[in-house]
């Protein structure tokens, strides 16, 4: 079954002379449980695509279906709930809340939903992310790599069906990068989570089920690796 369907997705930023078409009629589907890597040079539209898939920003035309439901038929308020419950999004530049500590940042989506934090899951996640002993540090008291781990923890706390990660290892050295990818992949395999990862790392791309290459806002290739 296709959990995600991207249909004729187009996104234009600005208007007139300064208009930039970041995505130009992009269509593809992702099967439930699939691990898809998205590659492409800087400015090719990768982040824009991921943000549309996660309901962060509305497309200019076209749409995204999650479990057959049109994501953008929601109101802005419904979209905010959608982002907290249905997807786990790891932003390229983390988007952590500066005045909240590690645990508070990780639990924010759960708490905003008025639900109880699963303490066991939180502990396991802190351990897996190597954030033990950093629970009450603020983002500016953490290294870039640690902030990236918090952003990943926040995305996974809800055990969402779909995880969308924008260069989740972009600020990590190769050992840490391998650990984080192992965590994401274990989540993908064990929980049957669908995983879409933007990456510049060839090893990560080759470990995916499928690699989609973007070029100037269009799909240049869509290759099944395994
Ligand atoms: N908020 C924005 N306003 C204007 N232009 C944008 C915005 N976000 C992205 N762009 C432009 O859209 C294009 C694609 O950007 P992006 O999706 O960030 O690419 P990538 O993630 O592949 O580097 C680029 O030309 C970028 O400058
Ligand atoms: Mg980007």
């Amino acid at each position: 079954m296709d959990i995600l369907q991207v249909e004729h997705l187009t996104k234009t930023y600005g208007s007139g002379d300064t208009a930039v078409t970041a995505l130009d009629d992009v269509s593809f589907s992702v099967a439930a449980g699939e691990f898809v890597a998205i590659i492409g040079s800087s400015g090719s539209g990768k982040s824009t695509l991921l943000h549309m898939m996660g309901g962060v920003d509305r497309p200019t035309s076209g749409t995204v279906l999650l479990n057959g439901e049109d994501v953008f038929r929601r109101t802005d308020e419904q979209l905010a709930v959608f982002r907290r419950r249905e997807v786990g999004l790891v932003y390229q530049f983390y988007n952590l809340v500066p005045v909240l500590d590690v645990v508070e940042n990780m639990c924010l989506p759960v708490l905003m939903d008025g639900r109880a934090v699963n303490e066991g899951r939180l502990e396991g996640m802190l351990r897996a992310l190597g954030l033990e002993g950093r629970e009450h540090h603020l983002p500016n008291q953490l290294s870039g790599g640690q902030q990236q781990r918090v952003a990943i923890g926040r995305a996974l706390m809800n055990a969402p069906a779909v995880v969308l990660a924008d260069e989740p290892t972009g600020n990590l050295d190769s050992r840490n990068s391998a650990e984080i990818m192992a965590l994401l992949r274990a989540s993908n395999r064990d929980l049957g989570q669908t995983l879409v990862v933007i990456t510049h790392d060839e090893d990560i791309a080759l470990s995916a089920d499928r690699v989609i290459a973007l070029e100037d806002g269009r799909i240049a290739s869509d290759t099944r690796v395994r």
Side-chain angles (χ1 to χ4, degrees):
M1 195 204 89
D2 288 333
I3 190 164
L4 274 166
Q5 292 160 271
V6 173
E7 295 185 340
H8 303 290
L9 203 63
T10 296
K11 177 69 177 182
T12 303
Y13 292 109
S15 59
D17 285 352
T18 57
V20 174
T21 299
L23 286 180
D24 186 6
D25 195 18
V26 168
S27 299
F28 63 95
S29 295
V30 178
E34 204 173 13
F35 170 16
V36 180
I38 296 179
I39 61 170
S41 53
S42 179
S44 57
K46 305 181 298 297
S47 292
T48 301
L49 174 61
L50 208 75
H51 292 167
M52 303 288 140
M53 291 168 82
V56 176
D57 196 9
R58 290 180 188 273
T60 305
S61 61
T63 197
V64 174
L65 308 182
L66 181 80
N67 284 322
E69 250 187 83
D70 189 337
V71 169
F72 296 104
R73 284 180 71 163
R74 295 174 167 82
T75 63
D76 286 354
E77 270 152 54
Q78 290 169 333
L79 261 188
V81 174
F82 165 84
R83 285 195 296 273
R84 288 201 297 267
R85 288 189 195 161
E86 315 279 333
V87 295
L89 210 136
V90 183
Y91 292 88
Q92 186 169 9
F93 302 109
Y94 327 134
N95 280 13
L96 300 177
V97 181
V99 296
L100 298 183
D101 70 19
V102 166
V103 165
E104 290 166 339
N105 264 288
M106 279 176 59
C107 297
L108 190 61
V110 176
L111 295 175
M112 283 183 68
D113 252 359
R115 285 181 290 157
V117 171
N118 179 332
E119 294 294 337
R121 183 170 176 78
L122 174 62
E123 256 171 57
M125 202 72 96
L126 287 165
R127 203 173 322 118
L129 291 164
L131 290 168
E132 283 169 310
R134 296 287 181 280
E135 288 86 348
H136 301 297
H137 283 55
L138 296 173
N140 70 7
Q141 296 171 320
L142 300 171
S143 70
Q146 287 169 332
Q147 292 180 50
Q148 194 148 43
R149 289 156 180 267
V150 177
I152 290 166
R154 179 179 57 187
L156 297 182
M157 262 312 280
N158 263 337
V162 177
V163 175
L164 306 168
D166 197 347
E167 303 195 28
T169 64
N171 279 293
L172 303 176
D173 59 33
S174 57
R175 191 176 63 86
N176 282 309
S177 165
E179 278 176 15
I180 291 298
M181 278 314 298
L183 182 77
L184 285 172
R185 234 177 281 134
S187 211
N188 164 244
R189 257 194 315 257
D190 304 344
L191 303 178
Q193 263 170 353
T194 304
L195 180 58
V196 180
V197 176
I198 294 177
T199 186
H200 279 118
D201 185 324
E202 198 170 318
D203 289 339
I204 293 176
L206 290 174
S207 70
D209 299 323
R210 178 179 166 198
V211 181
I212 295 177
L214 284 187
E215 222 174 87
D216 293 330
R218 289 169 168 268
I219 294 183
S221 65
D222 185 343
T223 313
R224 188 152 291 284
V225 180
R226 64 174 54 75

